[in-house]
Amino acid sequence: QVQLAESGGGLVQIGGSLTLSCVHSGRTSSVAAMGWFRQTPGKEREFVAAISWAEGATFYSDAVKGRFRISRDKAKKTMYLQANSLMREDTGVYYCNSPGPGQGSGGYPNYNENDYWGQGTQVTVSS
């Protein structure tokens, strides 16, 4: 059973930074990629970034490219999202994602119905 646990959210000022973490509790030897999504009330869950577990290749949405950095520590089975130059539009609940059984490296920027998700961590950007 895979469990994902995010941490690191909070209240930050416009222009500030924070780092989110996601710990993968299962066997990461079978993980091909992981990603971050975010959601605000009334909107669809939005892709933020993804990373291939073995090679560390990264993929970003246009909204965060150049400001956010995704990384992973294979030994700690942890994925990170360093968010810089935060804007009010970055406010939302950030979710950690891992492709579900049989999904391989997933379909980023899309997700699948049987993907694994964390419980989410709130990020609020305010003046």
Side-chain angles (χ1 to χ4, degrees), residues 22-44:
C22 172
V23 179
H24 188 295
S25 68
R27 289 172 50 209
T28 52
S29 58
S30 60
V31 173
M34 290 181 64
W36 291 96
F37 288 76
R38 64 188 182 189
Q39 190 168 23
T40 52
K43 290 190 175 182
E44 293 286 325

Side-chain angles (χ1 to χ4, degrees), residues 11-58:
L11 176 64
V12 61
Q13 288 190 325
I14 293 172
S17 300
L18 53 72
T19 299
L20 306 181
S21 301
C22 172
V23 179
H24 188 295
S25 68
R27 289 172 50 209
T28 52
S29 58
S30 60
V31 173
M34 290 181 64
W36 291 96
F37 288 76
R38 64 188 182 189
Q39 190 168 23
T40 52
K43 290 190 175 182
E44 293 286 325
R45 196 164 290 192
E46 173 192 22
F47 170 74
V48 175
I51 188 166
S52 65
W53 199 253
E55 300 85 11
T58 59

Side-chain angles (χ1 to χ4, degrees), residues 15-118:
S17 300
L18 53 72
T19 299
L20 306 181
S21 301
C22 172
V23 179
H24 188 295
S25 68
R27 289 172 50 209
T28 52
S29 58
S30 60
V31 173
M34 290 181 64
W36 291 96
F37 288 76
R38 64 188 182 189
Q39 190 168 23
T40 52
K43 290 190 175 182
E44 293 286 325
R45 196 164 290 192
E46 173 192 22
F47 170 74
V48 175
I51 188 166
S52 65
W53 199 253
E55 300 85 11
T58 59
F59 175 37
Y60 298 92
S61 70
D62 288 342
V64 307
K65 195 177 297 181
R67 300 187 297 120
F68 288 16
R69 181 176 178 270
I70 189 171
S71 62
R72 88 278 185 250
D73 184 324
K74 292 194 283 185
K76 294 182 179 179
K77 299 200 293 184
T78 301
M79 176 178 67
Y80 303 95
L81 183 70
Q82 182 177 347
N84 302 313
S85 302
L86 282 161
M87 304 186 295
R88 201 182 301 274
E89 305 88 271
D90 296 316
T91 294
V93 178
Y94 282 68
Y95 294 94
C96 174
N97 168 282
S98 182
Q103 298 296 342
S105 58
Y108 301 114
N110 302 306
Y111 58 87
N112 301 289
E113 288 299 320
N114 66 338
D115 282 356
Y116 300 108
W117 296 93

